[in-house]
Amino acid sequence: MNTEIVVSLITLLGSAIGTFAGIAVNSRLTNYRIEQLEKKQDKHNSLIERVYLIERHNAVMDEAIRVANHRIKDLEKAKED
């Protein structure tokens, strides 16, 4: 075989290996970053759910306070009569 052909084939093989290795490394890095973003999103979603539960609890407590205040006013009126 001609030496130029052999050198060309070796160069082609080296380029192909380098390209595929670069693609594999880049793919792993992308997958790692996506996993990290998913973890952050899960934490954020958990926080949103907890805030919603706290707001709902506060609404219930506010209503209970309004009812208690109304009862106190009724008792004060009954005491005055």
Side-chain angles (χ1 to χ4, degrees):
M1 263 190 156
N2 198 353
T3 56
E4 289 88 15
I5 295 174
V6 172
V7 170
S8 298
L9 290 176
I10 292 172
T11 304
L12 176 65
L13 182 63
S15 295
I17 290 172
T19 300
F20 288 121
I23 290 171
V25 168
N26 191 21
S27 175
R28 283 191 202 137
L29 179 61
T30 302
N31 287 337
Y32 173 76
R33 293 185 73 192
I34 288 172
E35 288 174 7
Q36 296 305 312
L37 286 172
E38 287 173 347
K39 288 178 184 177
K40 286 183 181 181
Q41 183 181 9
D42 289 342
K43 287 181 183 179
H44 175 73
N45 288 343
S46 174
L47 176 68
I48 296 298
E49 290 171 7
R50 290 190 343 234
V51 168
Y52 172 75
L53 291 174
I54 290 170
E55 288 175 348
R56 190 172 68 182
H57 181 264
N58 283 345
V60 169
M61 294 307 293
D62 288 343
E63 181 62 26
I65 290 171
R66 278 192 286 273
V67 168
N69 286 336
H70 184 70
R71 287 180 181 173
I72 290 170
K73 285 180 185 178
D74 288 345
L75 290 172
E76 289 173 347
K77 284 182 184 179
K79 193 175 186 181
E80 290 175 1
D81 292 338

